[in-house]
């Protein structure tokens, strides 16, 4: 017997999965018509603005807490979770923003503690009996039990349980779907990510009322796995609209004359101090300001999140939007990328720390490229999205990157005729990259085809938004070779598994199907070539000296960039106007 479980564990697990899928279905039906990336982000940001997080004694405190909190307004949801240290939290969502103001105005600081009196939506609930709340009728249900939407919402299905459910699937394609369903980010995890962003935004709202902290990366691009890191970009001016341009009153501001990069580094130092010194829950703040994209890393104790905060431009957000849109085009894409990421992690191709190995982001790009090249492509070249853009899709970052592409994929002139099962697609992915000529060819998702490699990088993936950059520049020759070995192994294993699954009856006790792909590299069929150097990272290799030199020497670049952004915007707008007239 591979795994044994008592009936009660099974029941709990199945209940949990059922409960979550009901929530997901409900959520997806709530936002179905708002499936555009911007709407999704706005929906989640608004939800976070109407939410507070309260530390409680235990899950049982929720009736008391909801009773107390409902005197500030209608509550529309409560989500409980417990962390490893046995601390318990309930996230409360109010119907209106006014309630948040009331609830926070009513809260007080613990005068006996030396704590810094920071104002944030993170609170704790005093023990019963100290403050008595009025029993007020709750919005959805007079029975308070009805309001707790999720109990223990950060529960991650144990690896062994995921495996057991994979083994009880019908066929290899169902195994891939099961893996996706069980491991993708859930509703509460997304809420906590947007709350973390809100907390940072609030902390600087005095001087920067228009500041936005925007989640990007796998937290929002549809490829996020439970427990994935949160990537955040903080922009001081994101909400500044050009509509006020005619106002005769202009804000006094400090001149920003030094080069943009060193200015951003200084601002980031200051922000990292605010996070570290003032914001509850934020701990282990580290600054990595010399990197090509300077970041602040920290851990959020109360929200259970590892966060990477940048203050660079919006290109990461637009890239996430692009991946989100591509993932929306066909229901198989996200499941396929999930299984590829899981496989790469299991065989040790990816690694949580940065280094010379392939990243999840590069893997997703490889999968996208494969889906553009498969017989009867599932995805169009990104150039088609660029060409199909409308005037509402114009986006230019502050540093002049043109991130204009069609946002509404439903009007894209592209339909796939590919009816392949997920299992076939996964096998074809492995076969495709077993044969790909990484030595001479670069991957262009824009063109949807291979192009001549512009330099000697081991793997060259053209960044679709910044075509002069290689997304996989960090990958060493050794890691590229390991990737080729592992895809060959995987193709061989999966081919056999698909054949066997057709003929033999499936077992829930013996490994079969994709479960056989998730073996550590020690167990793989072909051993990597040990001729290569060990996989040690040298810190200097994490930084892009060349780029740094370039930026530092361009003292007045930001002025030129501002000019070119303006010209680009004007040209694009003109182009769309001309197209529109000629269409008539
Ligand atoms: P990450 O490396 O954190 O990737 O980059 P990820 O997609 O979030 O995956 P995991 O789950 O953390 O491993 C975050 C985002 O930064 C942008 C992409 O949008 C990516 O999703 N990015 C990263 C780029 O635009 N270019 C790059 O070269 C790297
Ligand atoms: Mg990430």
């Amino acid at each position: 017997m591979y795994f044994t479980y008592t009936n009660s564990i099974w029941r709990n697990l199945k209940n949990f999965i059922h409960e979550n899928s009901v929530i997901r279905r409900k959520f997806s039906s709530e936002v179905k018509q708002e499936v555009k990336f911007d709407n999704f982000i706005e929906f989640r940001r608004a939800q976070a603005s109407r939410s507070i997080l309260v530390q409680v004694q235990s899950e049982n405190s929720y009736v008391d807490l909801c009773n107390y909190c409902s005197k500030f307004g209608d509550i529309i949801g409560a989500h409980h979770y417990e962390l490893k240290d046995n601390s318990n939290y309930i996230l409360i969502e109010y119907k209106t923003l006014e309630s948040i103001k009331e609830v926070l105005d009513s809260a007080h600081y613990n005068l006996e503690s030396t704590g810094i009196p920071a104002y944030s939506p993170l609170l704790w609930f005093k023990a019963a009996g100290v403050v008595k709340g009025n029993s007020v009728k709750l919005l959805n249900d007079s029975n308070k039990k009805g309001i707790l939407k999720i109990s223990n919402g950060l529960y991650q299905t144990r690896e062994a349980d995921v495996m057991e459910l994979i083994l009880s699937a019908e066929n290899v394609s169902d195994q891939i779907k099961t893996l996706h369903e069980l491991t993708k980010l859930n509703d509460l995890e997304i809420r906590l990510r947007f709350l973390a962003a809100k907390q940072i935004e609030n902390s600087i709202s005095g001087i920067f009322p228009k500041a936005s902290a925007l989640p990007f990366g796998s937290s929002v691009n549809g490829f996020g796995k439970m427990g994935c890191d949160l990537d955040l970009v903080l922009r001081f001016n994101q909400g500044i609209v050009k509509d006020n341009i005619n106002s005769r009153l202009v804000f006094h501001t400090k001149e920003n004359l030094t080069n943009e990069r060193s200015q951003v580094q200084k601002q980031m130092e200051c922000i990292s101090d605010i996070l570290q010194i003032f914001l509850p829950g934020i701990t282990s703040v580290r600054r990595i300001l010399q990197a090509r994209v300077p970041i602040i890393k920290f851990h959020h104790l109360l929200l259970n999140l590892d966060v990477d905060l940048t203050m660079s431009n919006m290109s990461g957000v637009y890239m996430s939007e692009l991946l989100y849109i591509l993932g929306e085009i066909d229901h198989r894409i996200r499941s396929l990328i999930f299984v590829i990421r899981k496989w790469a992690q299991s065989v040790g191709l990816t690694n949580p720390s940065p280094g010379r190995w392939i990243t999840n982001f590069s893997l997703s790009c490889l999968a996208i490229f494969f889906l553009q090249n498969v017989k009867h492509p599932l995805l169009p070249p990104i150039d088609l999205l660029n060409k199909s853009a409308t005037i509402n899709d114009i986006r230019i970052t502050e540093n002049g990157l043109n991130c204009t592409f069609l946002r509404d994929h439903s009007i894209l002139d592209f339909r796939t005729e590919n009816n392949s099962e997920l299992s076939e697609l996964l096998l074809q992915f492995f076969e495709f990259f077993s044969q790909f000529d990484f030595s001479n060819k670069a991957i262009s998702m824009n063109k949807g085809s291979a192009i001549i490699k512009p330099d000697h990088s081991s793997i060259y993936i053209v960044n679709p938004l910044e075509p002069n950059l290689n997304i996989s520049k960090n990958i060493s020759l050794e890691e590229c070779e390991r990737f080729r070995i592992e895809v060959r192994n995987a193709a061989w294993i999966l081919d056999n598994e698909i054949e066997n699954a057709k003929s033999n009856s499936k077992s829930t006790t013996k490994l079969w199907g994709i479960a056989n792909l998730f073996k550590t590299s020690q167990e793989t069929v072909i051993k990597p070539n040990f001729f290569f150097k060990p996989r040690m990272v040298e810190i200097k290799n994490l930084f892009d000296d060349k780029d740094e030199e370039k930026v530092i020497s361009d003292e007045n670049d930001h002025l030129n960039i501002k000019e070119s952004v303006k010209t680009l915007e004007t040209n694009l707008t003109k182009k769309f106007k001309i197209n529109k007239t000629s269409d008539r």
Side-chain angles (χ1 to χ4, degrees), residues 100-151:
I100 296 292
K101 188 175 165 357
E102 276 198 39
V103 83
L104 293 184
D105 283 352
S106 86
H108 70 96
Y109 296 99
N110 182 2
L111 298 176
E112 287 145 36
S113 107
T114 53
I116 296 166
Y119 186 84
S120 92
L122 308 187
L123 309 157
W124 57 273
F125 195 40
K126 257 195 201 172
V130 183
V131 181
K132 274 258 178 277
N134 300 332
S135 189
V136 181
K137 200 167 176 285
L138 301 174
L139 180 69
N140 285 342
D141 198 337
S142 53
N143 167 15
K144 282 106 209 150
K145 277 195 166 165
I147 211 168
L148 189 69
K149 280 188 171 174
I150 281 271
S151 161

Side-chain angles (χ1 to χ4, degrees), residues 216-218 221 231 316 319-320 341 360-361 463:
F216 69 102
S218 59
N221 66 16
D231 301 293
M319 178 68 87
S320 307
R341 284 182 170 210
N360 278 328
F361 178 55
N463 184 321

Side-chain angles (χ1 to χ4, degrees), residues 216-219 228-231 308:
F216 69 102
S218 59
S219 297
C228 68
D229 295 358
L230 166 65
D231 301 293
D308 283 356

Side-chain angles (χ1 to χ4, degrees), residues 291-336:
R292 191 174 72 80
V293 178
I295 53 170
I296 302 169
K297 281 178 156 310
F298 63 88
H299 179 72
H300 205 302
L301 278 175
L302 310 181
L303 304 175
N304 198 36
L305 286 173
D306 285 317
V307 186
D308 283 356
L309 177 81
T310 77
M311 287 181 57
S312 56
N313 58 59
M314 288 286 287
S315 70
V317 178
Y318 295 140
M319 178 68 87
S320 307
E321 185 173 22
L322 186 57
L323 295 194
Y324 176 92
I325 293 168
L326 296 174
E328 288 278 291
I329 289 180
D330 189 282
H331 65 276
R332 290 165 287 185
I333 292 163
R334 289 184 182 145
S335 300
L336 188 72

